[in-house]
Amino acid sequence: MRQRIKLCFTALFFILAVSFPSLASEGSSGHLDFFDESGISGWFYETGRPGETASFSIRLTNAVTGEIVQEIPMTSSLSRPDLESRTGSGSTPGFYTSIDWNALGGGLYTASIISGGKTVGNSLSHYSGSKNSESGLPEGVSSVQNLGSFRITG
């Protein structure tokens, strides 16, 4: 009899954990919309508290060396009507920050959202520096080759 009760409680726990993921663990959701000369924009929220402002950081990494060159503390503060079905009316999961490219210097950089020491969502790359005026490619690059189309699943 005890085994059956224990089995029922274990099954109930797993059903609740699957039905309500916030009970099992605190998570977050985010996405970088753009990363260019003007700055970085996107959205971020904690899944257990989607309507509240959330703190996170933007990590800039030198894409060639892998060195972390800057970590920018952020707080979500901009309205995103496109996310209201997920975060609720009046929420502010959006963010934007400008980048001081002169301080970083030229190179290929990757931006990522970091929360709790983990990367959240997608990462984007941007090349900053001088470009060939004719081709628009970075200095020293004469051509690029298309590697095809890829579908990301996950």
Side-chain angles (χ1 to χ4, degrees), residues 115-137:
S115 177
K118 296 180 181 178
T119 301
V120 177
N122 64 324
S123 295
L124 294 176
S125 295
H126 174 70
Y127 176 80
S128 175
S130 57
K131 297 179 181 177
N132 183 312
S133 60
E134 289 180 24
S135 68
L137 296 171

Side-chain angles (χ1 to χ4, degrees), residues 11-33:
L12 181 61
F13 172 77
F14 284 114
I15 290 170
L16 286 173
V18 169
S19 300
F20 303 99
S22 62
L23 293 175
S25 66
E26 189 71 24
S28 53
S29 186
H31 182 82
L32 293 175
D33 293 329

Side-chain angles (χ1 to χ4, degrees), residues 8 10 45 67 75 80 98-99 125 134 138 146 151:
C8 287
T10 303
Y45 64 87
E67 173 191 8
T75 301
R80 288 290 301 254
S98 58
I99 302 295
S125 295
E134 289 180 24
N146 185 345
R151 189 177 91 196

Side-chain angles (χ1 to χ4, degrees), residues 43-115:
W43 53 265
F44 177 85
Y45 64 87
E46 298 291 341
T47 54
R49 301 181 312 272
E52 298 177 18
T53 60
S55 296
F56 58 99
S57 63
I58 297 292
R59 180 177 290 165
L60 296 180
T61 307
N62 182 309
V64 176
T65 66
E67 173 191 8
I68 297 171
V69 294
Q70 193 172 13
E71 191 124 354
I72 307 165
M74 299 286 297
T75 301
S76 60
S77 60
L78 302 176
S79 175
R80 288 290 301 254
D82 58 320
L83 296 174
E84 283 185 359
S85 65
R86 293 190 216 178
T87 61
S89 179
S91 63
T92 57
F95 65 86
Y96 171 83
T97 188
S98 58
I99 302 295
D100 182 3
W101 292 107
N102 293 327
L104 291 176
L108 182 62
Y109 296 95
T110 300
S112 304
I113 299 172
I114 305 296
S115 177

Side-chain angles (χ1 to χ4, degrees), residues 1-9:
M1 181 69 169
R2 254 186 190 174
Q3 289 289 62
R4 284 188 180 174
I5 292 173
K6 191 176 182 179
L7 181 62
C8 287
F9 277 116

